[in-house]
Structure formats: structure tokens, C-alpha cells
Amino acid sequence: MTERRDLLVALAGQQNAGKSTLFNALTGARQHVANYPGVTVDKKYGQYGDTEGRVRIVDLPGTYSLTSFSLEERVARDFLIQERPDVVVNVVDGSNLRRSLHLTLQLQEMELPLVLALNMMDVAAGRGLEIDPQRLAARLDVPVIPTVGRRSEGREALRAAIRARACDHRKTAAAVDYGELEPAIGALVEHATTTPELAAVPARWLALKLLEDDAQAQRQLRERLPAPQAEALLQEAARRRGDFETQARLDVADHLAACRDQTVGQLLTGVVERREDRPRTTLTERIDRVVLNRLAAPAFLVLTVFLIYQVAIVWGYELTNYTWPLLAGMRELVAGVLPDAGFLVDPYTRALGLWLVDSANTLLNYVPIFLILFALIAVLEDSGYMARIAFILDKVLHRFGLHGQSTLPFILAGVFAGGCAVPGVMATKGIPDNRARMATILTVPFMNCLAKVPLYTLLLGIFFVEHKALMMFYISTMTIIFALLVAKLLTRTVLRGEETSPFVMELPAYHLPTLGGVLRRAIDRTWLYIKKVGTIVIAVAVVVFTLLHLPGLSDARMADFEERGRAAVSSFEQAMAGNAYDWVATAEHITPLLNYYNDYKRAKLNASGAEGSRAVKARFERRNPDYFPLVAPPKGDRDARQASRELRKLSSARKSLRREMREERITSSILGIIGRGMEPVTRFAGFDWKINVALLSSFAARESSVATLGVLFQQDEDQNATLEQRMGEETRAGGATALTAVAVILFFALYPPCLATTVMVKVQTGSYKWMLFSIVFPTLLGLGVASAVYSIGVATGSSGIEMMSWTYFGALALLLLLGLFTGPGRRRPVALTTAPEHG
């Protein structure tokens, strides 16, 4: 019987080699796979089983080399050194072997059992490339398996090669001859191999890293050896490095790269051939001539953003007309199983239950918008255009102290919309220079994260019905403008003096997105949003509910309301005297009758068409045939009509009392007191105490702003209106205008990051000072901008859309002025295109 053996396998490869796709094919695990460089920031785990045991696979971050200049390189290299996997599967892009094999040679120098997965062979064939895997395997002395990850082609052969390589314990000889540097390498290798403490470290790899003056390798050396011994070896490496650079007049790192490139060229001679019947210009290159054209690129980018919002926000919003009745029906079902409402005060379980349902429904109503939005973003990712956006924007970002790699954090945070600032801040770990990284961390929260969209959509649905697309275009692009302006300010002040680094990225070939991939991405991301509504938002809603109900109404005020309620009931009893239905004017019937009446009114409002209305009548007649004549009086029954009129009066009086009680309770609550205490400052921005309370609650979670507004503008028992209808009617009555909405939007766009993001700022910066700065600075900035715009708008009598336009173009003019006349020296981004290989 064969002994079972579990394996640890690492997937290593450059970005856009299809590594994550091949990981999915091998393990069957579901994982986000985007055609954008750097999407794999952390290690991903998966596993599969074969006849000899379990194979656990680790998907390492995509990296072009095994230096220590970026987080991806350090994560991948540290794992390979410390974990020493049984097999390393080096995933290479078959259509770009010349570049991919540089990493292969470095992996060989780490003395790891290696298998080469020659991936994306379909792309290579489409470009007219013919590759000889057997000849390449013989030259590298490693197994080479052709694969097409997205179609799972070559999966079984790769699994077999992994198991076979794990059983083959021979070491593969290093393929690169470093010429004049070999004597220095040999001396350091001999020193390392004779030192027992360094037995677990690949000797040739360590020698090369020490000659490169690699800081991480030096740190590992000091950790493994006593200080005098470590310093002696470091001094020897420094001496030999200096001797070589003096004689060769060439940096060691440049010499190593040149030797590897020469070796790769020799390896590929006769391995890669190009069929002459294929055109030399690929489809990707032809598209890029238009998309990356200096004049057309900005226009195409702006048009893309505008279309995303037109389709998702404007057209997608129409779908909420179908989702809201469903959510309202769910609310009715929940209300039906909760304790019945009281005359003036509801049981606590009913009040809290409906509060939570209303909080969730307010946000769930936007699910259709997010489905469309996420699907469109998935199309951009999978098509390859998202990488072009990073390339296009680098020229702009650099002039404001940012980096081309700042694009990914901005995209993850919601540069279009639908992202989250937490992964956006996390993704800044891959930015190589500290100045750009810090500036990105502090400006990522300005992006249009997923949680901001509901508030924007709510305000636009109330105050900008005819200008939704234009306003969303303003909002989406204005946040980028503000981020660049703030980054410029920070890099010229507190972050001044930090060095920048070149921007190198790969532009992947264009691919036609698959319907299944787009739908899966859209559904997965929307499901994350729904789960957030069901966890964080509900938790915040409970806290807000408690703070809005404490300390509650005083005994004297409650006694006054109860007395007014008894007076309304007494008037109803007197009016019903002598009526055939006077039996309902008793204590045991009045509250159940009022609840029945309000339920009937809501059901009628929710009914669609005459057929629906008849169904509602039949349902309520079955529910209580004795009460039914009072809510739907039959023809000729004068007593029923009179009782119905008196019931409406009593219901109206009860509703007024309950509304007054609710307003007074909220006003005197803990949150109400805080919100009103802020009004002397926020009134310059047009904010009342309810807006203050909503903005305060959004610090815990952005979605809570809309959820809190949903309950502050709570519907009455006989209503079934959307939040837009309820809030629009009440705010306009209170004097709010579109100018107020503009001020709220501007403040919310610049508002401090949510609680989770501030924690991540602390994690990434390692400083409470920067975490506090990320809260205080945006608060002052946002309030200052909102107050200035609102005050100027009131003074000039400008409308909301006019002030938004003036603000937008004013900020854009300032951006252009700073970018054109105060930017740093020009630095062209380096784009590694997907040009065909030549044999």
C-alpha cells in the first residue's frame, strides 16, 4: 500500500500570468480574479486531494522579481525561504516568456523543487507563437506543463507533475553564469555552506542578495548569526561588491539583470518561433493605439465613468420601483408577527423590530443599483481596461505626489463607486515609496465607497430628479479632484522630502469578459453588501435606537400626552353614542380597531390595480368581519359611514399625538441633544440636528447615515411611503433646499473615514498621530467646504445645481493650475505591454 503524503505547494509568478485563475482551476476554490496587476495582495490558500494525499496550495502575490522593494516581493520571498514548500509552481505567461523567465531563474537560485506552468497558451497561439515545451524543459532542467487556466486545460498533467516533482529530491543546477562576478559569488557560497546556522538558507541565493546589498537578506543574516560573525560576512560582501563595481564600472544589480536577460535569450532560442502568417500587430496593440492616445485617452475615460453612472444610477434607480413593494410586503409580514401596536406607546419589541426592518429596507432598496454597478466594474476589470486607467492616470497622479500604483487603492475604495476604503488602505502596502503611500492612505477615504452611494442616491432622488446623471458625474469625479488637491497639499508640507520611485506595470491583453464571470462578481459583491447591512448596519441601528430613546419623555409629559389621548377617545365615544356600531367605542376594541384600520390603509396603498384592491378587501373581511364595515362601509349603511368618519378623526388625532411624542422624544434624547449642540457650527452649512445625527452615526458605518435618516423620518402606522417621499416632504417643509443637499454631499464626500478604516490607517502607518489626523483634518476640510458653498449660495440666491457646478469647475481649475505650473519634473510611466515574443 502506497504511503500517503500531504504536500505544500506555492504558486509563484508575475502579475497577469493567470496565476489566480490557475489556482482556481487546481483547487476549485472561488476567488476574485481581476485582469488588474496587484490584485493578489495576500497569500491565498486552497487544496485538492489526489490518490497519494492532500495537496495544499498557496497563491503568492504576483511579483516580477524576488527583491525586497515592494510588499508583494517580500511576502513571496519570505514564504519561500521560511516555509520551504515541497514544490513551487512557477506560472508564466506563454505569450510573454522573455519577461516571465527572469523570475524563473531567481526561483532556481533558491534551490526549490520547481515546476513550470506554461500558462495562457491560447493567447500565445492567437499571437502566432509556437512554443516547444520539451526543449524548454530540457534547457531549464525542470518539468514544463502547457496550461490554459481559464479553461482548466493541463490541470491533470500539472497535478501529476507536482506529485512527481515532490518525489524527485535532486537539486536543479543554477542556469545563470554571472561572469566576472562568479569568483565573489563562489567565495560567499563557500562561507555560507560551511556555516551551520545558514544551512537552511540557499547559499547561492544568499550570496547574490548580499552582493546586491539587499536589506532583508542582511537582516536575516544578523538574525541567524552572532553579531561579530554576521558583520564579518557583511563586510566581505561589501568589499567584493565594491571591488566589482570599481573594476566593471557597473552596479551589481544591473550586472545581474543583464546576465539573466542574456540567459533568457539563450534559453528561448529555438524554443519560441513566430508563424509568419500571423499579423505582427495584435488586436490589443491596435485598440491601445486609440484608447491610450494622448488626446483620446482622457475623453474615453471620462465617457466611461459617465456611462457607468448613467446606466447604474439613473436607469438602475428605476428598478427600485419594483423592489420597494417587495420590501414593504416583508415589513408587513414582520409587523404581523410582532406584538400589536399600543394606542400611544408600542411594546419595546415591536418598536425595535420595525426600527431594524426599516433600517435594513432603506439600504436593501438599492440592491438593483449595486448589481448593475458591480457588473459594469467587473467588465472593466476582466476586459483589461482597468489597467489602462492606472497607466493613463499615472501622469496625473505623479504631479500631485502620488504614484501609478495609487490607482489600485483608489479603485478598491470606489473611484467609480461600490468599493470600500478598508481594502483600499490595505492595498497601499504595495506602493514602493513612502511619500506616495502616505498620501494615498490619507486620500483613499475620499473615494465613493459602496456605503456612500445610498446617501447620494437618496438626496439626488429628492432634490435632483432631473439632474441625476450630471450630479453623479460631478460627485464621482470631484472626489478624485479633492483627493489630488489634498495629496498635493500633504506632499508639499508634512510629507515633503520623501523620494518617489518609477511606475512600472503590465498592460494585459484585452479579453472579452464572460457572462458567468461578470455575474458571479456582481452577485458576490452585492452579497457582501447585503451581509454588511445584516450585521454592521443592524448593530449600529440598535445603538442609535437606544440613544434616541434615552432618557425618554418625562413623567409629566407622558401624563399630558395620555390625557390628550383620553380626550380624543372620549370624543369618539360621544360621537358613537346611539350608533349601531357603538360597541366598538370601548377600551377593549378601540386600539385593535385603530390598528386594523391602519393596516387596511397601508395594504390598500400597496395594492396594484383593481384586482389587488379587491384582494385586500377580501383578506381584511376574512380577518375581522365585525370591524370590516367600519373601514369599508357598505352602500346604504349610514351608521357604518358615520362610524368610519369618526374612526378617521380618532386615527388622525392618534397619529398627531404619536408623531409629536416621537419628535419630542428624539429631540430630548442623547443623540438629539448632541445633534442640536452641533447646530451653532453646522448651521453655516445648512445642517439641522437630524442631519448632524445621521452624519455622526455614519462614523461607525457609512450606510448608517441613510438607515438613521430612515428612522428619524419614520413613517406613520398608516403609511407605506419610501424614504425619499417621507424625507422630501418633511425637509422641504422645514426649509431644506437642493442647496442644503449639495452641502451635505460635499461634506459627506470629504467626511473622515469610518471606524474600520481609521483602525486600518493605524495599522498601515503604525501611528496614532496619523489616525487622529485622518479624522480631524477631513472633518475641518469638509465642514469648511460645505459651509462656504452653502453660505455663498444663500448670499447669491444660486440653486443647488448652479453651486455644485461652480464648485466643481472651480476645484477643477485649481487642480489644473497646480498640476500644470507647480508639478514635479516629468517622469514617464513604464508600461510593460503584451507585445508578441520573437524567436
Side-chain angles (χ1 to χ4, degrees):
M1 182 175 179
T2 304
E3 182 182 354
R4 295 181 63 82
R5 181 192 175 195
D6 294 341
L7 300 179
L8 175 62
V9 176
L11 287 190
Q14 294 182 349
Q15 298 164 351
N16 282 317
K19 185 167 52 65
S20 295
T21 307
L22 194 59
F23 173 78
N24 286 340
L26 285 171
T27 65
R30 296 184 66 188
Q31 178 185 331
H32 173 60
V33 181
N35 201 10
Y36 183 85
V39 73
T40 309
V41 177
D42 297 313
K43 298 187 293 288
K44 303 293 191 303
Y45 292 89
Q47 67 179 33
Y48 68 88
D50 58 17
T51 57
E52 299 181 46
R54 184 184 65 167
V55 179
R56 190 164 65 110
I57 295 185
V58 181
D59 181 13
L60 297 178
T63 176
Y64 289 101
S65 69
L66 292 176
T67 58
S68 59
F69 298 122
S70 71
L71 174 74
E72 289 90 346
E73 293 168 346
R74 290 196 296 272
V75 168
R77 197 175 79 175
D78 289 348
F79 179 86
L80 294 173
I81 293 175
Q82 297 169 12
E83 300 296 330
R84 300 301 292 180
D86 298 294
V87 177
V88 176
V89 176
N90 179 206
V91 184
V92 299
D93 179 0
S95 63
N96 288 281
L97 275 178
R98 179 86 191 204
R99 183 163 65 250
S100 299
L101 289 181
H102 281 259
L103 179 62
T104 306
L105 298 177
Q106 295 177 62
L107 289 170
Q108 282 188 310
E109 290 166 352
M110 298 188 78
E111 301 175 6
L112 293 164
L114 196 64
V115 172
L116 197 71
L118 198 59
N119 199 31
M120 301 176 68
M121 292 296 286
D122 56 335
V123 178
R127 293 177 180 169
L129 301 179
E130 294 181 346
I131 302 174
D132 188 341
Q134 288 77 24
R135 182 173 294 184
L136 180 61
R139 291 180 178 178
L140 285 172
D141 193 23
V142 298
V144 176
I145 310 299
T147 62
V148 179
R150 64 191 184 94
R151 295 204 296 255
S152 297
E153 293 181 8
R155 179 180 60 186
E156 298 308 319
L158 182 58
R159 287 179 173 178
I162 290 172
R163 179 61 69 175
R165 190 67 184 89
C167 299
D168 183 0
H169 300 293
R170 64 184 176 85
K171 290 186 177 180
T172 302
V176 184
D177 183 350
Y178 291 106
E180 299 174 9
L181 197 61
E182 284 294 336
I185 296 172
L188 293 176
V189 166
E190 182 179 358
H191 196 136
T193 53
T194 57
T195 305
E197 294 87 347
L198 299 178
V201 182
R204 186 174 177 85
W205 173 85
L206 179 62
L208 290 168
K209 290 296 131 183
L210 293 179
L211 289 171
E212 281 185 291
D213 197 22
D214 185 281
Q216 294 293 321
Q218 294 172 356
R219 178 181 59 80
Q220 290 187 15
L221 192 68
R222 291 189 175 100
E223 291 174 353
R224 295 173 182 268
L225 295 179
Q229 193 175 355
E231 293 305 320
L233 185 55
L234 291 174
Q235 288 176 10
E236 181 181 354
R239 179 180 61 81
R240 290 185 176 276
R241 178 174 59 253
D243 291 345
F244 172 81
E245 292 180 347
T246 300
Q247 295 174 7
R249 296 183 179 180
L250 182 66
D251 184 77
V252 169
D254 292 339
H255 176 73
L256 296 180
C259 291
R260 287 177 187 141
D261 187 67
Q262 183 180 13
T263 302
V264 169
Q266 294 170 353
L267 287 170
L268 294 180
T269 301
V271 170
V272 180
E273 300 290 345
R274 178 181 174 82
R275 297 202 311 268
E276 294 301 327
D277 59 333
R278 302 292 297 182
R280 291 188 173 270
T281 303
T282 66
L283 177 62
T284 292
E285 292 170 330
R286 292 196 295 271
I287 295 176
D288 279 342
R289 287 176 182 173
V290 177
V291 172
L292 299 182
N293 179 272
R294 179 175 298 180
L295 298 178
F300 193 79
L301 177 59
V302 171
L303 179 62
T304 300
V305 176
F306 184 83
L307 288 177
I308 286 175
Y309 282 109
Q310 177 67 32
V311 175
I313 304 298
V314 179
W315 297 346
Y317 185 79
E318 299 300 320
L319 296 177
T320 61
N321 294 329
Y322 302 96
T323 57
W324 183 254
L326 297 176
L327 295 173
M330 291 176 57
R331 185 185 191 275
E332 289 300 306
L333 292 176
V334 174
V337 300
L338 292 173
D340 293 334
F343 183 76
L344 290 181
V345 180
D346 294 342
Y348 187 84
T349 52
R350 179 181 180 84
L352 178 58
L354 292 181
W355 180 285
L356 298 181
V357 171
D358 289 339
S359 299
N361 278 359
T362 300
L363 295 171
L364 294 177
N365 195 41
Y366 300 109
V367 165
I369 293 175
F370 290 134
L371 275 171
I372 298 173
L373 190 61
F374 291 149
L376 294 176
I377 292 176
V379 169
L380 293 182
E381 291 175 336
D382 290 349
S383 66
Y385 183 62
M386 194 70 85
R388 271 75 183 174
I389 293 175
F391 178 74
I392 294 168
L393 292 179
D394 176 72
K395 296 178 183 179
V396 177
L397 294 176
H398 175 64
R399 301 193 70 83
F400 294 89
L402 297 172
H403 195 273
Q405 291 183 358
S406 301
T407 308
L408 177 60
F410 285 153
I411 290 172
L412 292 176
V415 67
F416 294 116
C420 178
V422 173
V425 173
M426 290 175 63
T428 60
K429 294 182 293 185
I431 300 176
D433 64 277
N434 192 56
R435 185 182 77 171
R437 188 176 71 88
M438 288 298 303
T440 307
I441 288 173
L442 296 172
T443 52
V444 153
F446 293 164
M447 298 300 104
N448 297 308
C449 72
L450 169 69
K452 290 183 180 182
V453 177
L455 181 64
Y456 294 150
T457 307
L458 172 66
L459 295 175
L460 299 190
I462 296 173
F463 296 101
F464 298 96
V465 178
E466 297 180 356
H467 302 286
K468 284 182 185 176
L470 179 61
M471 282 295 294
M472 283 307 300
F473 176 76
Y474 279 162
I475 291 169
S476 61
T477 52
M478 181 176 286
T479 52
I480 301 174
I481 293 173
F482 282 140
L484 294 178
L485 291 175
V486 171
K488 185 75 169 182
L489 174 64
L490 295 176
T491 52
R492 284 302 182 102
T493 54
V494 294
L495 300 177
R496 189 174 183 176
E498 297 288 341
E499 294 183 358
T500 60
S501 65
F503 171 52
V504 180
M505 72 168 300
E506 182 177 355
L507 299 183
Y510 287 104
H511 298 285
L512 186 65
T514 62
L515 179 61
V518 170
L519 290 179
R520 184 182 69 250
R521 194 88 48 79
I523 293 172
D524 287 348
R525 290 176 174 178
T526 305
W527 177 241
L528 289 176
Y529 170 75
I530 294 173
K531 287 197 294 186
K532 192 173 184 181
V533 170
T535 53
I536 298 176
V537 174
I538 294 299
V540 173
V542 172
V543 175
V544 172
F545 176 86
T546 303
L547 295 179
L548 287 176
H549 283 73
L550 292 176
L553 298 176
S554 65
D555 293 340
R557 290 301 299 153
M558 278 302 303
D560 179 63
F561 281 117
E562 289 172 355
E563 178 60 31
R564 291 164 61 185
R566 284 193 292 270
V569 171
S570 178
S571 297
F572 178 70
E573 292 173 345
Q574 293 175 10
M576 290 293 292
N579 189 288
Y581 297 94
D582 59 357
W583 56 272
V584 299
T586 58
E588 63 177 305
H589 287 292
I590 286 180
T591 300
L593 175 62
L594 286 169
N595 291 338
Y596 179 87
Y597 172 73
N598 289 329
D599 291 347
Y600 178 77
K601 286 187 64 178
R602 284 199 311 276
K604 288 280 287 184
L605 287 172
N606 200 37
S608 56
E611 186 63 30
S613 181
R614 286 193 294 269
V616 168
K617 287 185 176 181
R619 176 159 54 88
F620 274 81
E621 188 171 13
R622 290 193 302 271
R623 172 176 163 180
N624 194 321
D626 296 329
Y627 288 168
F628 185 72
L630 280 73
V631 300
K635 292 182 179 180
D637 192 337
R638 298 179 61 184
D639 285 348
R641 287 201 299 273
Q642 180 198 358
S644 181
R645 287 195 299 271
E646 297 303 326
L647 181 60
R648 284 198 300 272
K649 292 178 183 178
L650 178 61
S651 177
S652 178
R654 179 203 190 199
K655 182 168 66 176
S656 298
L657 285 173
R658 289 170 66 94
R659 183 180 295 171
E660 189 177 341
M661 287 176 64
R662 184 175 69 238
E663 291 291 330
E664 192 168 321
R665 183 180 62 249
I666 292 175
T667 303
S668 60
S669 69
I670 296 174
L671 272 185
I673 293 172
I674 295 173
R676 289 192 179 279
M678 296 168 59
E679 279 188 334
V681 176
T682 62
R683 65 185 177 88
F684 296 105
F687 301 169
D688 63 9
W689 68 273
K690 287 188 176 181
I691 294 177
N692 293 341
V693 168
L695 294 175
L696 277 175
S697 70
S698 71
F699 179 70
R702 285 287 181 266
E703 298 93 337
S704 298
S705 59
V706 173
T708 302
L709 289 171
V711 292
L712 290 176
F713 295 95
Q714 197 171 17
Q715 62 186 0
D716 296 310
E717 285 292 329
D718 61 346
Q719 285 185 325
N720 195 22
T722 64
L723 177 56
E724 284 87 347
Q725 294 168 335
R726 304 192 312 265
M727 184 176 169
E729 179 180 349
E730 189 170 336
T731 53
R732 287 193 178 95
T737 63
L739 187 59
T740 309
V742 167
V744 174
I745 289 170
L746 291 174
F747 180 81
F748 204 63
L750 299 172
Y751 192 55
C754 66
L755 183 60
T757 305
T758 58
V759 172
M760 189 52 59
V761 170
K762 165 61 176 66
V763 171
Q764 294 303 316
T765 62
S767 168
Y768 285 104
K769 178 189 72 173
W770 286 116
M771 184 181 77
L772 184 63
F773 181 84
S774 72
I775 298 173
V776 175
F777 175 71
T779 300
L780 298 177
L781 176 65
L783 189 60
V785 171
S787 299
V789 171
Y790 180 79
S791 300
I792 294 173
V794 171
T796 59
S798 301
S799 65
I801 191 67
E802 289 173 343
M803 283 308 300
M804 189 68 173
S805 299
W806 280 112
T807 304
Y808 179 84
F809 288 108
L812 180 60
L814 178 60
L815 183 80
L816 295 175
L817 182 66
L818 292 175
L820 291 175
F821 298 106
T822 63
R826 293 183 61 83
R827 171 184 60 83
R828 292 186 60 83
V830 179
L832 303 179
T833 60
T834 52
E837 298 279 359
H838 297 277

